[in-house]
Amino acid sequence: MSVSQNDCKMEGWLYVIRSNRFGLQFSRKRYFILQENYLKCYKTRPISQEEEPLRSANIDSYIRITDNGRESINRKVFFIFTLYNTLKDNDQLKLGASSSEDAGKWIRSLQNAVVKECPNPEKEFMSFSKKNWPPSRFGSSKRADSKRSVGYYPFLQNEAVTSDVIAPSTWKIFGCQNGLRLFKEAEDWDSRGRHWDDHPAIMAVGMVDGTPEAIFRTLMSLGASRSEWDFCFYRGSVVEHLDGHTDILHKKFYSNWLPWGMRRRDLLLRRYWRREEDGTYVILYHSVIHKKCPPQKGYVRACLKSGGYVITPVNQGRESLVKHMLAIDWKFWKVYLRPPSARSVTIRMLERIAALRELFRAKSGNHSSDFSSSGSSVKTMLPQAGMEDIESEDKRHQKFEQNADLKENEAEKTNSGRRSLMSLNDASDEFFDFPDSNEDIDFDFLENGWYPEKSQEQPASHICQHRLSSAAVFVKKLHDLAELPRNLSVAVQKKGYIDFQELPKDENGATSYGNTLPKDSTYSLPCSWATAEPSTFLIRGENYLKDSQKIKAKGSLMQMVGADWLRSDHREDDLGSRPESIIQKYAAQGRPEFFFVINIQVPGATQYTIALYYMLKTPLEETPLLHSFVHGDDAFRNSRFKLIPYISKGSWIVKQSVGKKACLVGQALEIHYFRGKNYLELDIDVGSSTVARGVVSLVLGYLNNLVIEMAFLVQGNNEEELPEILLGTCRLNNLDVSKSVPV
């Protein structure tokens, strides 16, 4: 897909993703142009600016964009994102890009358009044919009619640093091998550097002459192309696709690279991935138990405690710095072999980065290789017979697609007057798209797509499984659901798999809101809270607009006075209004203090709530930026409320999943604001983002062994608002889900 982007315009090919009457998805290729805050859709690339679009939509402050991740639809891989209207639950548009990089560019541009368009409560997100725009709307200036937010600034500034936390490195180098630097977590060393943990966390770091996008695709593939670099890998499959960013994998390994006499190993893993705004890819793994993939004969199942890749662009994205980390229990049965052999096997496995480096070095400049010259895609060539089958079937579908386009044009004329986002979808395209003859097919997914692993001798009928009719596939799905075993544990019935770190839950009595989580300033009591040191966090300095420099925070504006750790079967909103809360107790006494409540809501069959209570003793008017935030509209709040996360103690996989970078929470997650006489509560819905759900579900599995630190602030965007000041900080010590209070 070609994509062009400048400061005020974004255009390129995307795919409209829809579902037919059976709930099965299909795609339709369209050319989109985003200019200012207008999104236009064309069937072909327009040859002039005067050409009228099929449909268009206004991107305003009520539009949200979610990253749905990686999906396989009719044998083609898409990176999906969805636009939806917060005023209308059924008004949404699902789009797909051919690469994660392109999807990231579109998401960023759309988010910028949302921020630039000012909110108007009277206005809905309406889309319609340009031919039928009412004259009053077409001729009027929305910017003149719209209502400006308090202190609004129509831009998003990129932060100049990659980390907003001052933290010591947890890694120490211990060697160099095959051009890779080898590191070990510092906490595993003794004073002489001789002590090794039984299953140490080891990381290999190397430079690869390839783009992050190409390396990401190579690492994610489980098909034949993996044999070109992964000397450990024998066979792999996706056991279950959980969402666009998370799936369950089964990997089998050869035994010829293992020590003599060591049996073959396999791993059952939960894989999570995401792409950062700077183009960095993060792929994380940890072992799970799944009902569909029990231990198999001839293999010893190892346990990956923590592992994954971080792929960072360097040299304007032409090269990549790749970090590969593993902390793995190989399940040795001979005790005398365990310590030295475990380390050597782990290091040997990490050397795959050197093989990956040599692969990209050999492929560079070779246009006939599996990698495109731009490095933006990876594909595996089929045998000639396979290509002939595809071409013949493509010809059979050509007439059908032409007829579908004629029906679509008729539907467009009929529906041209619609005034909802749904009209940007193609209403009559209820059929499976076969990939165009000039488009790439991800044959790695065709070989190892969203299907459980079969026996090594698969019948020929398995190849035709993708070509089942819609009704047959639908009936098969119902049959599979009916065949679920009844004797599974509760956790397996809910998720289909169990993380090794999960623990059973106990029942505890509830107390007043604001006091359900105990305070411990000594940091020694498990499942407690305390304030974090403000100087740990970096904030915008007085001259940030000129030099982009951040400074250590010197203090916080508010005092943290309480915390809740709750669980329920539904969302717990507006805790500050409840009579049992400390806020209402202060209000009943007529006291002047103002409260700021941050309510983090974690979705699931059991909903967990972490609520943090901060108190301001001085009048709001003495802090103009906070006063504007409290009295401003939701669009202004969403563009300013910032969180800086930090995992000060915990495993590498959790630290990588959370990061140490400040983020505008309202741009990534839904926040519901509740304003009371003496408080403002921010209810942050983690379930509103696929990426956030994946991070939180991973964090919950390791929660008992984590120390989580956070800082909150309102972003300063002009000289009068700088330097920034923290609203408050917190430190959550080793939270335990079994000690959460039921509501």
Side-chain angles (χ1 to χ4, degrees):
M1 182 187 77
S2 61
V3 173
S4 62
Q5 181 180 25
N6 54 43
D7 294 339
C8 59
K9 187 176 181 180
M10 177 82 176
E11 61 179 292
W13 291 100
L14 290 173
Y15 295 81
V16 178
I17 309 297
R18 296 197 63 228
S19 299
N20 60 19
R21 65 173 63 94
F22 298 105
L24 301 174
Q25 296 188 106
F26 59 90
S27 64
R28 172 61 68 204
K29 190 174 183 179
R30 293 291 179 261
Y31 196 84
F32 282 84
I33 296 178
L34 175 66
Q35 190 164 11
E36 294 296 334
N37 61 307
Y38 289 101
L39 182 63
K40 302 176 184 179
C41 174
Y42 300 84
K43 181 170 290 187
T44 60
R45 185 169 184 171
I47 58 177
S48 68
Q49 295 183 353
E50 288 74 24
E51 183 174 342
E52 293 186 350
L54 293 175
R55 296 176 178 88
S56 61
N58 177 34
I59 308 298
D60 62 21
S61 60
Y62 297 107
I63 302 307
R64 311 209 42 107
I65 302 97
T66 60
D67 179 2
N68 302 110
R70 188 169 179 254
E71 299 282 350
S72 179
I73 301 174
N74 300 324
R75 301 187 295 173
K76 183 173 178 63
V77 175
F78 298 98
F79 293 86
I80 309 294
F81 56 97
T82 304
L83 288 76
Y84 68 94
N85 187 354
T86 57
L87 300 178
K88 289 184 178 181
D89 293 338
N90 61 345
D91 192 13
Q92 64 178 10
L93 175 66
K94 193 173 185 180
L95 299 173
S98 298
S99 71
S100 177
E101 184 177 1
D102 290 340
K105 290 178 181 178
W106 276 102
I107 291 172
R108 184 66 175 172
S109 297
L110 289 165
Q111 287 175 339
N112 287 343
V114 169
V115 172
K116 290 178 181 179
E117 174 64 12
C118 301
N120 185 343
E122 303 296 327
K123 180 175 58 180
E124 295 181 358
F125 181 31
M126 297 188 293
S127 58
F128 36 80
S129 173
K130 190 174 180 180
K131 297 178 182 179
N132 294 281
W133 273 0
S136 59
R137 278 188 66 92
F138 181 71
S140 65
S141 172
K142 286 186 298 304
R143 294 192 180 278
D145 297 337
S146 60
K147 175 183 175 184
R148 284 282 177 186
S149 302
V150 179
Y152 173 80
Y153 289 89
F155 59 89
L156 284 178
Q157 290 182 322
N158 292 324
E159 305 291 0
V161 294
T162 58
S163 174
D164 291 311
V165 175
I166 299 175
S169 174
T170 60
W171 297 92
K172 288 187 178 181
I173 190 168
F174 69 87
C176 186
Q177 194 166 316
N178 285 339
L180 305 175
R181 288 179 295 149
L182 300 177
F183 295 83
K184 186 172 176 295
E185 279 194 311
E187 62 184 23
D188 293 333
W189 292 79
D190 60 13
S191 59
R192 298 184 179 180
R194 296 177 181 176
H195 172 71
W196 286 74
D197 185 64
D198 288 343
H199 314 296
I202 306 175
M203 180 168 62
V205 180
M207 290 290 297
V208 178
D209 187 17
T211 66
E213 175 78 20
I215 296 171
F216 166 74
R217 287 180 175 266
T218 303
L219 293 175
M220 294 288 284
S221 171
L222 300 177
S225 63
R226 197 173 184 99
S227 62
E228 297 182 1
W229 65 275
D230 192 344
F231 53 81
C232 305
F233 182 83
Y234 167 59
R235 185 184 296 271
S237 65
V238 177
V239 177
E240 183 178 357
H241 178 59
L242 302 178
D243 58 50
H245 289 269
T246 314
D247 40 35
I248 306 296
L249 305 180
H250 182 217
K251 291 186 176 183
K252 293 180 178 179
F253 299 108
Y254 287 111
S255 60
N256 55 2
W257 62 280
L258 298 171
W260 181 85
M262 184 176 173
R263 292 173 60 188
R264 291 187 295 180
R265 260 51 177 178
D266 70 343
L267 286 168
L268 186 62
L269 305 171
R270 181 181 184 271
R271 178 177 67 183
Y272 161 81
W273 73 271
R274 74 170 185 273
R275 183 182 183 273
E276 305 284 6
E277 289 185 3
D278 66 350
T280 296
Y281 285 88
V282 178
I283 309 174
L284 304 174
Y285 303 90
H286 71 279
S287 285
V288 295
I289 299 173
H290 198 286
K291 63 183 183 297
K292 292 183 180 179
C293 191
Q296 299 188 3
K297 184 178 180 180
Y299 287 87
V300 176
R301 181 150 297 174
C303 176
L304 182 61
K305 296 181 177 181
S306 178
Y309 300 88
V310 178
I311 311 158
T312 305
V314 294
N315 296 334
Q316 289 77 45
R318 294 188 295 270
E319 295 178 295
S320 302
L321 179 68
V322 182
K323 300 177 182 178
H324 183 19
M325 181 271 182
L326 290 173
I328 186 167
D329 180 0
W330 290 103
K331 300 297 182 182
F332 282 94
W333 63 274
K334 293 182 178 180
V335 179
Y336 65 88
L337 288 177
R338 189 173 183 179
S341 298
R343 293 196 299 269
S344 63
V345 173
T346 301
I347 293 173
R348 177 64 172 154
M349 195 171 186
L350 291 171
E351 290 178 351
R352 293 181 299 175
I353 295 298
L356 185 71
R357 178 191 63 210
E358 296 305 316
L359 171 69
F360 275 84
R361 182 177 296 173
K363 298 282 186 178
S364 61
N366 184 359
H367 298 283
S368 62
S369 67
D370 290 349
F371 302 94
S372 68
S373 59
S374 63
S376 60
S377 63
V378 181
K379 60 183 180 180
T380 303
M381 302 302 294
L382 279 183
Q384 184 63 30
M387 292 302 296
E388 291 173 356
D389 291 341
I390 288 179
E391 290 173 0
S392 61
E393 184 154 345
D394 197 21
K395 292 177 181 178
R396 290 196 299 270
H397 279 72
Q398 188 175 16
K399 184 176 180 180
F400 180 60
E401 292 206 13
Q402 291 174 351
N403 294 334
D405 281 338
L406 292 176
K407 292 180 180 179
E408 178 191 351
N409 292 333
E410 294 176 1
E412 287 168 359
K413 295 177 182 178
T414 304
N415 300 320
S416 61
R418 288 188 179 181
R419 294 174 176 261
S420 69
L421 177 58
M422 292 299 293
S423 66
L424 269 176
N425 290 292
D426 296 322
S428 63
D429 287 342
E430 197 167 292
F431 62 90
F432 288 122
D433 268 0
F434 198 83
D436 297 337
S437 59
N438 61 341
E439 294 178 0
D440 292 337
I441 302 176
D442 193 322
F443 293 110
D444 285 340
F445 264 88
L446 180 62
E447 179 181 350
N448 295 290
W450 314 122
Y451 294 92
E453 184 185 41
K454 305 296 181 182
S455 61
Q456 297 182 13
E457 295 80 16
Q458 293 185 351
S461 61
H462 174 70
I463 302 175
C464 301
Q465 185 172 2
H466 303 276
R467 302 176 186 174
L468 293 175
S469 68
S470 300
V473 174
F474 180 66
V475 172
K476 183 179 184 301
K477 286 186 175 182
L478 293 179
H479 176 73
D480 291 342
L481 290 175
E483 293 297 321
L484 285 174
R486 298 183 179 180
N487 59 349
L488 298 174
S489 66
V490 175
V492 175
Q493 288 176 355
K494 290 178 180 177
K495 297 198 304 181
Y497 68 96
I498 305 176
D499 287 349
F500 287 162
Q501 298 81 9
E502 289 183 348
L503 297 174
K505 305 173 179 60
D506 299 328
E507 295 295 328
N508 292 322
T511 57
S512 60
Y513 293 102
N515 295 313
T516 60
L517 191 66
K519 178 181 180 180
D520 178 32
S521 300
T522 65
Y523 306 147
S524 59
L525 179 65
C527 203
S528 63
W529 70 269
T531 56
E533 173 56 44
S535 61
T536 303
F537 303 95
L538 296 175
I539 57 176
R540 294 181 173 185
E542 186 175 1
N543 299 316
Y544 180 82
L545 298 179
K546 299 177 181 177
D547 57 19
S548 299
Q549 293 299 311
K550 292 195 172 183
I551 61 174
K552 292 183 181 179
K554 296 180 179 179
S556 59
L557 187 63
M558 298 183 178
Q559 175 188 355
M560 187 172 179
V561 294
D564 282 327
W565 179 219
L566 311 171
R567 70 176 182 270
S568 175
D569 58 358
H570 60 275
R571 273 177 39 182
E572 297 295 332
D573 291 331
D574 198 7
L575 299 177
S577 67
R578 304 190 182 187
E580 304 88 352
S581 71
I582 59 175
I583 294 174
Q584 295 305 317
K585 291 177 181 177
Y586 271 70
Q589 299 173 10
R591 300 182 61 169
E593 289 85 356
F594 185 84
F595 288 86
F596 196 88
V597 184
I598 299 171
N599 181 355
I600 303 174
Q601 302 167 330
V602 182
T606 299
Q607 299 245 354
Y608 293 98
T609 297
I610 301 173
L612 311 172
Y613 297 78
Y614 296 90
M615 183 173 66
L616 179 68
K617 294 184 178 181
T618 58
L620 270 174
E621 292 76 12
E622 294 184 7
T623 312
L625 182 55
L626 180 59
H627 182 272
S628 298
F629 186 87
V630 171
H631 293 282
D633 54 35
D634 290 356
F636 172 72
R637 293 166 177 166
N638 288 338
S639 68
R640 293 299 192 94
F641 180 65
K642 194 155 62 173
L643 159 68
I644 307 176
Y646 174 41
I647 304 297
S648 58
K649 180 181 178 182
S651 79
W652 177 87
I653 187 173
V654 179
K655 291 180 179 179
Q656 288 296 327
S657 65
V658 174
K660 297 182 289 186
K661 188 75 178 63
C663 66
L664 291 169
V665 181
Q667 300 298 323
L669 303 173
E670 277 192 18
I671 303 180
H672 302 277
Y673 299 91
F674 296 91
R675 178 75 164 90
K677 180 180 179 181
N678 65 333
Y679 74 94
L680 175 67
E681 180 172 332
L682 288 68
D683 289 1
I684 303 172
D685 182 10
V686 177
S688 61
S689 165
T690 304
V691 177
R693 283 200 305 270
V695 172
V696 171
S697 63
L698 178 64
V699 170
L700 284 176
Y702 293 84
L703 202 55
N704 289 37
N705 300 313
L706 297 181
V707 174
I708 306 170
E709 299 188 25
M710 292 181 284
F712 306 96
L713 65 155
V714 178
Q715 180 171 280
N717 282 350
N718 59 36
E719 292 182 358
E720 290 74 20
E721 297 170 346
L722 297 175
E724 293 176 332
I725 183 170
L726 298 180
L727 297 179
T729 66
C730 77
R731 175 186 168 112
L732 303 174
N733 303 311
N734 306 105
L735 292 181
D736 189 340
V737 294
S738 66
K739 294 182 179 179
S740 57
V741 175
V743 179

